[in-house]
Amino acid sequence: MDHALIRAQMPTIVAGHVPRNARSFKFRIYDEKPPVPSALGILIDPVPFQGTVIGKTEIAIVIKVGRTQFAALDRALMSQEPADGAKVQVTPYARRHFDGQRVDTPTQHEERWANGKAYTVQSLVLGGTTTRIPLPAPRCPELAELIEQLESLPAPDGFRRIAHLLVDAGARDFTCVDPLPKDILRTPPAIGFTVDTAKFRGQVTVLYDRGLDVYTIELRRDGALVERVDEVYFDDLGSVLERLIDDGRWRQIRVDVLSQPARTRQKEVQ
């Protein structure tokens, strides 16, 4: 979405919705581009919000979310298009763990004072914590390195990591081949999982080739080989997996209509 165009149009769109004693207004754009990093360089996942639809352009819908705060949503990414005046709940994309929780969900654990009395500590990591692949700790160093790369290397969109790409592809039923060092050539280390996207539905396997120090990615459906990509270097894992299994549906902005404008309700009654 053209951010420069939206910025130029916003003053006109919100003119009648800003209090007269307000000297300025703020707005945020929600589209396919990743969030702007904070002053500390941290990417913060957007949170759901409520507001009222106040205007539309060819490419965006504008929602008033506060006294002087607004949001511009990419029309092409919205799950549905509400009417002018409708009150809506907006849920932008946020990175998640494999259990469905947001990456910025606070964690809790119990500590004890010196006298033995227990207390609860809640912690929150700005920008979210690492999303762990649901596999047991490996004994094979090369398998451990593959897991670490999937968890830490960025996806091509620049916001997610490869593990988040797998979450968004519905990856589940993880398995692994974890050989002893002496068996690494005969039994290559590998990670397998199933995905369900518009691009591919079936089994994905990432195998390590010790001889060439590269990876091979295989796609299978009902046991039959559908596609095989050889000589995938570690820094290409994200781009190859995106091409094979990422359908982009994760970018959708969910919009739920909480109430219709009064004129629409009157028509429904009539």
Side-chain angles (χ1 to χ4, degrees):
M1 191 162 70
D2 188 341
H3 286 205
L5 177 60
I6 292 297
R7 292 190 182 96
Q9 294 174 333
M10 284 298 289
T12 301
I13 296 173
V14 308
H17 301 274
V18 178
R20 292 183 178 180
N21 61 349
R23 297 183 178 181
S24 63
F25 67 91
K26 297 180 180 179
F27 68 93
R28 183 171 180 177
I29 297 174
Y30 295 86
D31 60 2
E32 77 286 351
K33 297 179 182 178
V36 177
S38 69
L40 298 176
I42 300 173
L43 288 171
I44 305 297
D45 292 81
V47 298
F49 60 89
Q50 294 182 8
T52 302
V53 179
I54 63 164
K56 299 180 180 181
T57 72
E58 291 185 359
I59 60 175
I61 286 183
V62 179
I63 298 174
K64 183 173 183 177
V65 298
R67 183 173 179 271
T68 59
Q69 296 178 326
F70 302 85
L73 277 58
D74 189 337
R75 295 179 74 164
L77 297 179
M78 296 171 60
S79 61
Q80 64 172 311
E81 186 167 308
D84 285 335
K87 184 176 181 180
V88 296
Q89 168 90 15
V90 179
T91 307
Y93 171 78
R95 296 167 296 175
R96 296 186 181 274
H97 298 305
F98 286 95
D99 61 2
Q101 288 192 327
R102 290 172 56 106
V103 298
D104 55 5
T105 300
T107 59
Q108 291 188 163
H109 65 277
E110 190 176 274
E111 297 283 353
R112 291 187 179 276
W113 299 105
N115 61 5
K117 186 177 180 179
Y119 63 95
T120 300
V121 176
Q122 186 178 78
S123 59
L124 172 65
V125 178
L126 293 177
T129 57
T130 301
T131 295
R132 300 295 182 186
I133 305 293
L135 286 170
R139 61 188 178 185
C140 174
E142 287 77 10
L143 179 60
E145 187 174 13
L146 170 57
I147 293 174
E148 181 182 0
Q149 289 166 348
L150 294 176
E151 293 174 345
S152 61
L153 290 177
D157 53 83
F159 179 40
R160 304 176 297 169
R161 299 192 184 277
I162 298 176
H164 303 132
L165 185 156
L166 299 184
V167 172
D168 297 331
R172 55 185 174 81
D173 302 329
F174 280 82
T175 59
C176 67
V177 177
D178 188 9
L180 293 170
K182 64 183 180 65
D183 299 323
I184 192 171
L185 293 178
R186 184 174 69 251
T187 311
I191 291 177
F193 49 89
T194 60
V195 297
D196 186 359
T197 73
K199 273 191 177 181
F200 179 73
R201 182 178 184 181
Q203 179 78 20
V204 181
T205 305
V206 183
L207 307 98
Y208 176 66
D209 183 337
R210 181 68 181 84
L212 297 176
D213 192 25
V214 294
Y215 296 108
T216 294
I217 299 178
E218 294 182 345
L219 303 186
R220 295 180 181 273
R221 185 179 296 114
D222 298 326
L225 182 64
V226 175
E227 186 170 353
R228 177 186 172 101
V229 183
D230 294 308
E231 297 187 15
V232 178
Y233 293 92
F234 78 94
D235 52 354
D236 290 329
L237 278 170
S239 59
V240 174
L241 286 169
E242 181 192 50
R243 177 177 65 82
L244 295 175
I245 65 175
D246 188 356
D247 59 13
R249 286 187 296 181
W250 59 276
R251 299 179 186 274
Q252 187 180 74
I253 303 170
R254 179 177 172 180
V255 177
D256 296 306
V257 177
L258 302 179
S259 63
Q260 296 286 358
R263 62 180 181 276
T264 301
R265 292 198 298 269
Q266 291 173 357
K267 290 181 181 179
E268 291 176 350
V269 172
Q270 294 172 354

